[in-house]
Amino acid sequence: MTKMTGRTKAILRFAALPAASAAILGLLKVLGILNLRLFGEAFTRGNGAIWLVAAALFAMTAVALVRYWLILRLVSFKARASRVVAAGLISQAVGQWAPGSMAVTELIRFGLMAGLGEKSRLALSILIDRLLGLGTMFLVGGFAAFYLHLRGGILVKYPALVFSLAVLSIVFGLAVILVPLFTKTSPWRKLSRFLSVKAARPPVAANPAHPRNRTARIWGGLSDAAELLNGAAARPRRLLSPVALSLVIPFLNAATLFYAAQAIDHPLPLSVILVAVPFTIVAVFLPLGLAGYGGPQLVAAGVFGLFNVSSETVVAACLVQNTVVLAVTTLLGGLSAGFTLDRLRAVLADRKNRFPDRRSP
């Protein structure tokens, strides 16, 4: 039996992604909730809603970049604004096409900025950025769910479940946003001391590539990150501006789906979108297809099923939203890559020098 090469395995894995997208979309079609006519009419109707989707996406991207710039200042990471913007736009563009897009996006952003300063500060900035994004999204969604529960009416299919989601979202959102304040607790102080002791141990071998030395570097990085988080928590007021900007993003994100539904002439209530979208976040972590087609629509159909809204409308609007997002992020990422081509070449050359082809003798 012939053993497959690494390249063959990579090709097969890549080929499986569009196949997974097609299979999921085919399943939605069989279930009767995929209406391609609605999707097509969104781009031929000419009602202007598509441009509103793009406008909301542009605004959300701008707010997110400003928030990240403030977070970089909070952790004392110095970088040119142009490089921060380019790294954000390029990573978003590439990550949007990849399975598990959130993780891929952050890995690319880290790689593009890793040579600009201390890596532990950079990693911490990305962590805080994501925590604020997720926390505020769930917080806003929780209050929207609570509003729908109080309002009642035929829109809510399962009132008790929606109330449970409201409580869960608010508690989870607050917990995530307040993570930096956990540094003032006794368990965190014990963890910080433990990391400091581990990081302070001297090297056990002269060879930097020795496994024990690599482990020591990991402990050192974790200790540095803990100290940086302690420093950020010591100035909680400086988190107010990033948090305030984060509270705007869920509404802009929901607006992209709201206007996508307008584009197919089947409106969706904004409050329902605010509640449901945070729970569709699982789709950006899992390899459920390629470029956001298939998996996210399947997850959205399930989550929106808590409300009396048309699954056909949800799936079609999500397809329209995803198509516009791909177009806009790819355009912005491509323009940024063109302006920072020299930097991209340097990053690729550095990676090649660090990780030479293992097939070479």
Side-chain angles (χ1 to χ4, degrees), residues 261-281:
Q262 296 276 1
I264 63 174
D265 203 24
H266 287 65
L268 288 171
L270 183 62
S271 56
V272 171
I273 296 174
L274 287 171
V275 176
V277 164
F279 291 93
T280 64
I281 205 72

Side-chain angles (χ1 to χ4, degrees), residues 228-248:
L228 289 170
L229 190 56
N230 290 336
R235 297 171 289 178
R237 290 186 179 181
R238 295 186 64 180
L239 279 170
L240 293 178
S241 294
V243 169
L245 290 174
S246 296
L247 289 170
V248 176

Side-chain angles (χ1 to χ4, degrees), residues 108-307:
I108 295 173
R109 177 160 61 164
F110 182 87
L112 290 174
M113 296 181 63
L116 302 179
E118 190 177 336
K119 292 183 180 180
S120 56
R121 294 180 187 274
L122 176 59
L124 180 62
S125 71
I126 291 175
L127 176 62
I128 294 176
D129 188 45
R130 280 304 180 185
L131 287 177
L132 288 182
L134 288 174
T136 52
M137 187 178 295
F138 275 95
L139 188 63
V140 170
F143 281 111
F146 192 63
Y147 163 77
L148 285 173
H149 178 76
L150 292 178
R151 179 184 176 187
I154 62 172
L155 189 60
V156 179
K157 189 183 294 186
Y158 305 105
L161 187 53
V162 170
F163 178 76
S164 299
L165 287 181
V167 174
L168 177 65
S169 294
I170 292 174
V171 171
F172 178 77
L174 284 174
V176 171
I177 292 172
L178 297 177
V179 160
L181 299 184
F182 294 163
T183 58
K184 300 181 183 299
T185 63
S186 177
W188 176 265
R189 287 195 292 268
K190 291 180 181 179
L191 176 62
S192 295
R193 286 195 295 270
F194 172 78
L195 293 175
S196 298
V197 170
K198 287 287 188 179
R201 291 184 177 179
V204 296
N207 182 8
H210 192 282
R212 293 186 183 179
N213 283 341
R214 288 200 295 266
T215 302
R217 287 196 296 272
I218 293 174
W219 285 119
L222 291 173
S223 179
D224 291 343
E227 289 301 319
L228 289 170
L229 190 56
N230 290 336
R235 297 171 289 178
R237 290 186 179 181
R238 295 186 64 180
L239 279 170
L240 293 178
S241 294
V243 169
L245 290 174
S246 296
L247 289 170
V248 176
I249 292 177
F251 292 96
L252 293 173
N253 187 30
T256 62
L257 186 56
F258 177 81
Y259 289 123
Q262 296 276 1
I264 63 174
D265 203 24
H266 287 65
L268 288 171
L270 183 62
S271 56
V272 171
I273 296 174
L274 287 171
V275 176
V277 164
F279 291 93
T280 64
I281 205 72
V282 65
V284 302
F285 286 105
L286 302 177
L288 299 173
L290 183 67
Y293 289 105
Q297 291 77 46
L298 179 63
V299 173
V303 176
F304 278 88
L306 298 174
F307 304 93

Side-chain angles (χ1 to χ4, degrees), residues 345-357:
R345 286 174 176 170
V347 169
L348 293 175
D350 179 66
R351 180 173 178 81
K352 186 176 181 181
N353 291 333
R354 291 187 184 184
F355 306 101
D357 192 342

Side-chain angles (χ1 to χ4, degrees), residues 28-51:
L28 294 176
K29 184 69 174 177
V30 170
L31 294 175
I33 56 178
L34 173 58
N35 189 333
L36 293 176
R37 179 183 59 81
L38 286 178
F39 171 72
E41 287 180 354
F43 298 94
T44 58
R45 195 185 302 274
N47 59 8
I50 290 292
W51 296 107

